[in-house]
Amino acid sequence: MLTHTTSAYGLSSSHLVDYKGQLLEKETAKALKRMVLAAEQAGIKLRVCSAYRDFSRQLKIWNGKALGERPLLDSNSVPVDRNNKSDAQLLELILLWSALPGTSRHHWGTDIDVFDENTIEPNRLQLIPSEYAAGGPCAKLHTWLVEHAAEFGFFFPFQSGLSGVSAEPWHLSYHPVSTQILESFDIKTLKHIINESEIELKAEIMKRIDALVDEYVYTIAPPPDQL
């Protein structure tokens, strides 16, 4: 079993391998290659638009939303006016679609965001639920993944009613490794990392960090072998 290290919090990428310009945990990369080939047989060009994301990148996203440099979206993907919002309200809005730095599953190299390149160009992809719902450009991909992703060790950790994070039908996790990383996640280490970082809303985060970790790190849909 993996032990908690800096790699679990996006502070190191030395354990990762290259996959078509993206960094992934090595067993995840192997499983993904097999899944991509199987999808091709179904007429789907499964591609990764986001894989490993380090702490610094997640911090930039977080701070950009906190400072109004990036848009805030509500649970229906509609832009929200940040004016007159309290720190607590801003925190909740950011967490709808962006993980707290140090807690993102994209730090692990086991989680990927995917799309069907046959039906939508990368520069037009928004990663919103409607793109993966019936009638959306990635609907066929999502239907195929629901039926077959588990055969390759992948599952959807963020599902409506089952996760603290809003449903993300584009987000897959390689559970043979990600489950081990989750079990080794150490909140004391996270608190130290957050305290030492230049993160916006730090006081509000630290006040609620135990509850935030419980809701946004540990509360996920169960992997296939736990259903």
Side-chain angles (χ1 to χ4, degrees), residues 111-217:
D111 286 51
I112 53 177
D113 294 337
V114 299
F115 70 104
D116 185 351
E117 199 172 31
N118 279 339
T119 56
I120 188 168
E121 297 176 3
N123 62 354
R124 299 190 64 180
L125 186 69
Q126 300 179 68
L127 289 182
I128 55 177
S130 61
E131 293 174 322
Y132 295 77
C138 295
K140 181 179 178 180
L141 165 66
H142 186 249
T143 297
W144 187 88
L145 289 171
V146 168
E147 295 178 357
H148 299 289
E151 299 168 15
F152 305 92
F154 290 92
F155 77 111
F156 294 95
F158 305 138
Q159 299 181 36
S160 180
L162 296 175
S163 58
V165 175
S166 300
E168 294 187 356
W170 53 83
H171 185 127
L172 292 170
S173 181
Y174 184 63
H175 77 85
V177 178
S178 65
T179 298
Q180 294 182 46
I181 297 174
L182 181 60
E183 290 172 351
S184 71
F185 192 88
D186 180 64
I187 192 168
K188 290 182 179 178
T189 300
L190 176 66
K191 288 178 179 178
H192 174 74
I193 293 169
I194 294 295
N195 267 321
E196 294 296 310
S197 71
E198 296 296 327
I199 190 170
E200 296 296 322
L201 307 175
K202 183 184 291 187
E204 188 66 28
I205 292 167
M206 294 307 297
K207 183 169 66 178
R208 302 170 53 190
I209 194 164
D210 292 272
L212 293 176
V213 168
D214 184 61
E215 181 174 2
Y216 292 101
V217 177

